[in-house]
Amino acid sequence: MKKYIKYLALASLVFTSCDPEFNDSVEDGDFYTAGEADFSNFVSVGNSLTAGFADNALYIEGQKNSFPNIMAQQFKRVGGGDFVQPLMNDNLGGLLLNGNQIADTRLVLGVNAEGNPGPRNISGTPTTDITNSIHGGQMNNFGVPGAKSFHLVAPGYGNVAGVPVGAANPYFVRFASAEEATVIGDAMAQNPSFFSLWIGNNDILGYATSGGVGVNQQGNLDPTTYGGNDITDINVFGSVYSDLIETLASNTSGGVVYNIPDVTNIPFFTTVPANPLPLDETTVTILNATFQAYNEQVLPGLQQQGVLTEEEVALRQINFQAGPGNFVTIVDEDLTDLTQILQGAPFNLSPEQAQTLGQLRQANETDLIVLPAANFIGSQVEGGGVSAINGVSVPLGDQWVLTATEQAEINQARVAYNGIIQALANQHNVAFVDVDMLLQEVAEGLPTDSGVLTSEFAAGGAFSLDGVHLTPRGYSVIANRAIDAINEKYGSSVPRVNPGDFRTIQPSNN
Amino acid sequence: MKKLLLSMGLLLSFYSVYAGGYRVATQGQRALAMGHSGVAVVNSAETAFFNPAGLILLEDRLNVSAGVTGVFNSTSWQNSSTGQFSSTERNVSTPFYLYASYKINEWLAAGLSVYTPYGSRVEWEKDWPGSHLVNEIELAAIFIQPLVSVKVNDYLSVGGGPIFVTGSVDFNRNITRSLVDEDGNRANVGISDSGITNWGWGASVMFTPTEELKVGFNYRSEIMMDARGGEATFSNVPNSPAVPAQNGVVPFNASLPLPAEWSLGVSYEFSEKFMATVQVDRTLWDVYESLDISFPGTGIPDAVNPRNYKNSSIYRVGAQYKASEQWTIRAGYYFDESPVQSGFFAPETPRNDGHGFTGGFSFELNDKLALDFAFLYLRFSEVDESYDFYMEDGVQVPFEGTFKSNAFLPGIGITYKL
């Protein structure tokens, strides 16, 4: 009997090795070709979008769903290798510098005691200290959250000493090869065979998300003088981008580049309407009485004096109606500043009143209110008494509102950047992804295998809870579009992913 | 020998899948070697399963057959449009049988059967692309059946008896395609219940118009396995009131039918040495409309999984040749129709129509004891299929791909007669 047991054991071995084999095997790559591209060492270069940043943080799960990592997994069917990312230490997100927290944890969708959902920081203390360098060995994802175009070529961008003064990037500090290393230099040191480059978003985004408090630096060719919320000069962008794509394209078998989407399509600017205020009859009567003299006498008077145009007088009219849908009041720095005039005769207003009215107007349909204003509008001004309501009696500051004028500045730069990106993509004959068009499609509703993806905040599925960065599902759509572009450019047949296999926002009360 | 079988029975798991649905046809090595044809064959206590009416026709007073089969089955899946692929673990499972009959007098025999005709064990790679349908499933059912066999006259005998079933179920899947906890682990639910019992019955007739010709018919009733108050374990669910489940254990109810089955067959002894048989089996799978799992009193929505199985047939042919006093060799073939309809191809029972090729032999150690060996190779052709009834936010999300399965089943048994 023992003998038979032995035979059975032997048979087990034999049968275990006889897995059913397909005529054409996905695993063996029978369906796919790399075309003219060599995917063996894929390196991605860019900013937060390349890093897999989401929910206002970088965390492991988000990184695993970065669009280049999604692509790299698909590249494995056509000879792609491992894709190593500078993974964070946890799924909380947030950063420490020598034990002191310098970046918040990720946002999750919590539900409060009243049953209302809303974004909140997940509780916990970050464990990723940027002084713990993870440099060394293979690295494939050079997405650095916060990087602008010129940062990728800036020596010292990974020097920890520069972090407290804003001269260096804490995310790059973690995996920079040396204090004076550049992002692009470290990326090229990996000998990429194929690349992705998506950069330029932050060259306008800081200005946009700050409500345009920064400076439009057109004409200033020295980016070292720029503030974090400034718009990068078009020529500076062009020069840097040209160097980047030249370096990447001439040392690889090919790559893919992405343009810059319109910020007015992202939920950071589309979620809070300019007219969110419900007001009752009593309040409206008081408010309108307050502004009656201003609307009917002060403004027309200033027009007669030639201080204001008829157009500006119309723009500065303040009117409220009982019920929902009242536009907030804002400070618009592009208006004529009346602070001094109103303090003089015949108005003789107090400096405080004059200050309030100086660049005051009511918002209109063309203004974009930033997402963080959601909890600020309608709140009482600290120490200001019950009638001091932010967005009503106290106007929203510049940082809460992106006016039409500011939007135009952003768009002018963006369109120029995109022209440069597309021209250089053509010149270097690399694949090009029109992310601008893709996110417009998402804004209108993009059908996927898991229903329609939209850019509605929290519910739409495409955008994470910071309203700027994408969800894993959103990144998967970017990855698919890039795969399409690559397949078309290089004659490859890399398979796409199912967006429905990737999550949207994360609910949690942790 | 007894000790060995006992320890095997204790150590090994009793279940597997390799036939249509979750029917596991390995209820006798002699029959299995002939394409699992036995309804019109009387050659050992195996007839207790295939046709208990035949027990009274056995020559010896006491007959015992026992055996165990090693099931090595595997399924591979791939989707060429996404580049995804996966395969099941090649777990070895071991359905077994034990039959005994005792001839009380010339017209009455009594018997006892213990066998495992239904079962399933499929284990995909954890979090594989179809994990929202199934990660892992194990079904086991042990049938215990006391029998009587009565000779009505020289041409006709009848047999049958009540069946007691005790079963267990383990089923694990991810809750959706994309729900994860705060650390990115896929949210998961596992249900587990054992000691699920119920009763059924079986009855058969055997007609022997001439000494060489036998015609047999056997029927086994449907038995519904009702799991009540089993344990459903939710894990990796994010901590949020927005999600209708929480980590922890809640009760569940579910029902799984073990469908009725009938067999009709003919055997003919062409000579002292050569016998051949044909048989058709029909399994009334249409009772399996949906696998519905409810979580009473928890507020967790029911999991409704349409199955819509259809009745299916199996066509069997086999022969045996007595080569010498000691050696008998057997061979057979069967065609196994899958009960799974197109569009309902759930990866928990990923089976299309299969071809079974069988062979085996018996070796008589002495007058009383024989060793029986059987081998089955079950071949499935590659099939492009889908399960279309998974719902996500009210939208049907088909799970598609190419499936290919195979199974190898070597078996060993003994036949004892006195």
Side-chain angles (χ1 to χ4, degrees):
Chain A
M1 197 62 217
K2 260 185 191 164
K3 202 167 70 183
Y4 297 118
I5 297 290
K6 257 188 218 162
Y7 286 141
L8 265 179
L10 191 68
S12 307
L13 279 176
V14 173
F15 303 136
T16 310
S17 58
C18 294
D19 273 330
E21 287 192 3
F22 292 106
N23 297 331
D24 291 304
S25 164
V26 164
E27 187 175 4
D28 299 340
D30 294 344
F31 290 87
Y32 316 107
T33 167
E36 297 149 31
D38 172 3
F39 297 107
S40 59
N41 190 19
F42 171 46
V43 166
S44 57
V45 178
N47 51 39
S48 52
L49 294 159
T50 295
F53 194 93
D55 305 307
N56 201 35
L58 195 63
Y59 55 97
I60 295 169
E61 192 219 347
Q63 292 176 289
K64 287 187 171 165
N65 290 307
S66 70
F67 81 84
N69 192 44
I70 295 170
M71 290 165 64
Q73 302 316 308
Q74 301 304 96
F75 288 164
K76 286 184 176 170
R77 303 281 80 75
V78 287
D82 287 341
F83 191 78
V84 179
Q85 304 192 85
L87 291 181
M88 298 282 281
N89 202 41
D90 55 45
N91 272 304
L92 297 171
L95 293 172
L96 302 176
L97 170 57
N98 288 320
N100 300 314
Q101 187 168 339
I102 56 168
D104 277 340
T105 58
R106 68 193 269 210
L107 298 171
V108 289
L109 192 71
V111 179
N112 66 15
E114 288 81 49
N116 298 317
R120 57 167 82 165
N121 289 102
I122 196 167
S123 59
T125 306
T127 61
T128 309
D129 199 307
I130 63 168
T131 56
N132 295 330
S133 175
I134 55 167
H135 166 72
Q138 186 182 347
M139 180 57 67
N140 296 82
N141 193 340
F142 289 84
V144 179
K148 299 186 179 192
S149 57
F150 52 86
H151 288 141
L152 299 183
V153 296
Y157 195 52
N159 183 353
V160 69
V163 170
V165 295
N169 184 300
Y171 294 97
F172 186 46
V173 166
R174 296 182 60 236
F175 64 103
S177 64
E179 285 181 357
E180 289 305 298
T182 63
V183 175
I184 187 67
D186 280 5
M188 295 316 294
Q190 295 290 328
N191 288 317
S193 68
F194 196 82
F195 74 92
S196 75
L197 175 65
W198 190 6
I199 196 69
N201 312 71
N202 291 322
D203 296 69
I204 52 170
L205 196 66
Y207 185 84
T209 56
S210 68
V213 297
V215 177
N216 186 358
Q217 295 282 7
Q218 301 312 320
N220 179 356
L221 298 181
D222 182 6
T224 62
T225 61
Y226 292 0
N229 295 327
D230 294 354
I231 298 178
T232 305
D233 174 75
I234 292 163
N235 291 317
V236 168
F237 176 86
S239 157
V240 168
Y241 201 92
S242 176
D243 286 351
L244 289 170
I245 198 169
E246 168 80 34
T247 305
L248 286 162
S250 55
N251 292 292
T252 57
S253 70
V256 56
V257 299
Y258 305 73
N259 68 3
I260 312 302
D262 186 350
V263 294
T264 61
N265 278 329
I266 68 178
F268 192 86
F269 297 105
T270 57
T271 302
V272 181
N275 60 339
L277 295 171
L279 293 174
D280 61 49
E281 194 92 42
T282 322
T283 313
V284 167
T285 310
I286 296 168
L287 285 171
N288 283 345
T290 310
F291 287 104
Q292 191 177 10
Y294 174 72
N295 287 340
E296 293 172 8
Q297 292 165 25
V298 176
L299 292 175
L302 287 167
Q303 189 187 337
Q304 277 177 3
Q305 290 179 25
V307 177
L308 298 177
T309 62
E310 187 182 351
E311 204 180 8
E312 187 167 344
V313 167
L315 192 62
R316 297 182 77 133
Q317 295 287 321
I318 310 281
N319 277 299
F320 296 99
Q321 302 125 33
N326 284 286
F327 285 94
V328 293
T329 55
I330 64 171
V331 175
D332 181 352
E333 61 179 4
D334 290 311
L335 293 179
T336 308
D337 192 345
L338 304 177
T339 310
Q340 297 304 322
I341 296 172
L342 292 175
Q343 289 177 55
F347 310 110
N348 297 323
L349 294 183
S350 70
E352 291 77 28
Q353 281 179 306
Q355 179 79 40
T356 303
L357 294 171
Q359 289 183 310
L360 180 76
R361 70 171 167 90
Q362 220 167 349
N364 59 49
E365 301 287 357
T366 66
D367 293 307
L368 296 175
I369 312 294
V370 298
L371 185 59
N375 296 322
F376 182 75
I377 294 170
S379 64
Q380 283 182 17
V381 178
E382 268 180 59
V386 283
S387 63
I389 307 291
N390 285 310
V392 186
S393 50
V394 179
L396 295 182
D398 191 23
Q399 75 270 27
W400 302 109
V401 188
L402 197 64
T403 64
T405 313
E406 292 163 338
Q407 291 168 45
E409 289 181 278
I410 292 165
N411 216 38
Q412 186 202 15
R414 185 182 69 86
V415 168
Y417 298 165
N418 282 350
I420 291 164
I421 293 169
Q422 187 149 21
L424 288 169
N426 290 340
Q427 186 189 323
H428 291 277
N429 199 25
V430 296
F432 168 76
V433 181
D434 191 346
V435 185
D436 186 24
M437 187 176 80
L438 175 57
L439 291 188
Q440 272 174 45
E441 290 171 34
V442 172
E444 289 156 17
L446 182 76
T448 70
D449 65 313
S450 185
V452 177
L453 209 57
T454 75
S455 43
E456 187 188 342
F457 183 63
F463 284 89
S464 75
L465 293 166
D466 59 29
V468 174
H469 299 92
L470 300 168
T471 59
R473 191 170 297 172
Y475 282 126
S476 78
V477 168
I478 299 275
N480 273 347
R481 206 50 79 91
I483 286 168
D484 289 349
I486 290 164
N487 286 342
E488 196 183 324
K489 176 62 72 180
Y490 297 101
S492 53
S493 55
V494 180
R496 308 173 73 181
V497 297
N498 286 328
D501 288 341
F502 297 82
R503 74 166 171 87
T504 58
I505 52 146
Q506 181 66 43
S508 178
N509 270 17
N510 278 2
Chain B
M1 192 70 205
K2 254 187 204 164
K3 212 169 152 187
L4 177 75
L5 276 178
L6 192 67
S7 62
M8 284 174 95
L10 289 172
L11 285 172
L12 303 177
S13 45
F14 313 132
Y15 22 76
S16 106
V17 63
Y18 80 95
Y22 38 91
R23 175 78 172 88
V24 187
T26 58
Q27 275 71 55
Q29 306 306 354
R30 293 186 173 192
L32 182 57
M34 296 191 289
H36 209 254
S37 318
V39 75
V41 177
V42 178
N43 64 9
S44 70
E46 286 179 16
T47 196
F49 170 80
F50 291 93
N51 189 337
L55 290 176
I56 191 63
L57 305 181
L58 289 167
E59 286 166 11
D60 299 282
R61 182 159 283 265
L62 176 68
N63 294 277
V64 177
S65 288
V68 60
T69 301
V71 181
F72 303 81
N73 66 295
S74 181
T75 301
S76 295
W77 169 88
Q78 65 179 25
N79 183 320
S80 60
S81 70
T82 59
Q84 294 165 310
F85 58 90
S86 187
S87 61
T88 60
E89 297 289 321
R90 196 175 268 276
N91 291 316
V92 186
S93 50
T94 49
F96 71 95
Y97 60 88
L98 172 65
Y99 309 119
S101 76
Y102 183 76
K103 203 187 268 190
I104 296 163
N105 56 41
E106 279 308 303
W107 58 270
L108 179 66
L112 180 71
S113 293
V114 181
Y115 53 99
T116 57
Y118 288 97
S120 182
R121 183 172 185 188
V122 178
E123 184 183 353
W124 291 93
E125 290 163 292
K126 192 166 161 45
D127 299 335
W128 74 294
S131 57
H132 57 294
L133 300 175
V134 60
N135 265 317
E136 195 177 344
I137 184 168
E138 277 193 39
L139 304 171
I142 301 174
F143 282 44
I144 301 166
Q145 184 178 23
L147 294 162
V148 291
S149 179
V150 178
K151 190 172 185 175
V152 178
N153 57 39
D154 283 348
Y155 306 109
L156 187 69
S157 59
V158 296
I163 300 171
F164 174 75
V165 180
T166 175
S168 65
V169 60
D170 282 278
F171 179 65
N172 181 295
R173 75 172 198 200
N174 291 345
I175 293 174
T176 71
R177 289 196 293 168
S178 61
L179 184 68
V180 294
D181 71 5
E182 291 82 355
D183 280 317
N185 301 308
R186 297 282 297 273
N188 183 280
V189 59
I191 62 173
S192 179
D193 198 11
S194 59
I196 309 162
T197 60
N198 209 340
W199 290 86
W201 59 275
S204 72
V205 294
M206 186 163 281
F207 183 54
T208 317
T210 72
E211 217 166 282
E212 297 82 18
L213 182 67
K214 290 188 180 67
V215 180
F217 176 83
N218 185 60
Y219 177 81
R220 207 169 290 104
S221 75
E222 173 198 318
I223 300 172
M224 189 62 79
M225 299 306 284
D226 295 313
R228 292 288 173 268
E231 286 190 347
T233 307
F234 286 84
S235 48
N236 302 338
V237 178
N239 169 32
S240 171
V243 179
Q246 290 172 306
N247 287 326
V249 179
V250 297
F252 82 93
N253 294 338
S255 293
L256 189 75
L258 305 179
E261 172 180 83
W262 59 253
S263 303
L264 177 64
V266 182
S267 73
Y268 191 79
E269 286 176 36
F270 292 89
S271 71
E272 288 267 307
K273 290 185 167 179
F274 184 70
M275 185 273 287
T277 181
V278 294
Q279 173 176 334
V280 60
D281 296 348
R282 183 93 176 146
T283 312
L284 307 181
W285 281 111
D286 66 353
V287 66
Y288 192 29
E289 290 169 357
S290 182
L291 176 59
D292 299 339
I293 303 167
S294 62
F295 307 94
T298 63
I300 300 168
D302 292 359
V304 178
N305 306 286
R307 289 294 176 259
N308 206 22
Y309 274 27
K310 64 176 182 190
N311 295 339
S312 66
S313 301
I314 308 171
Y315 305 94
R316 306 179 186 277
V317 41
Q320 73 172 21
Y321 180 72
K322 197 166 166 52
S324 73
E325 278 303 306
Q326 287 191 305
W327 293 91
T328 304
I329 56 172
R330 302 186 180 88
Y333 163 83
Y334 67 85
F335 176 70
D336 187 356
E337 268 180 15
S338 172
V340 181
Q341 305 202 59
S342 188
F344 290 89
F345 208 85
E348 82 210 16
T349 49
R351 294 292 181 271
N352 46 321
D353 295 348
H355 300 272
F357 302 91
T358 69
F361 60 87
S362 292
F363 177 72
E364 288 191 24
L365 296 167
N366 55 45
D367 286 351
K368 295 171 184 165
L369 191 62
L371 291 174
D372 303 318
F373 295 93
F375 182 77
L376 163 64
Y377 167 55
L378 193 54
R379 186 182 171 278
F380 298 90
S381 50
E382 203 171 294
V383 62
D384 292 324
E385 260 299 352
S386 64
Y387 182 73
D388 299 339
F389 298 90
Y390 175 75
M391 305 293 286
E392 206 168 76
D393 304 329
V395 180
Q396 277 186 329
V397 180
F399 178 73
E400 300 168 316
T402 308
F403 292 85
K404 190 167 191 180
S405 304
N406 64 17
F408 303 92
L409 296 91
I412 183 171
I414 54 151
T415 299
Y416 179 80
K417 56 191 180 183
L418 191 66

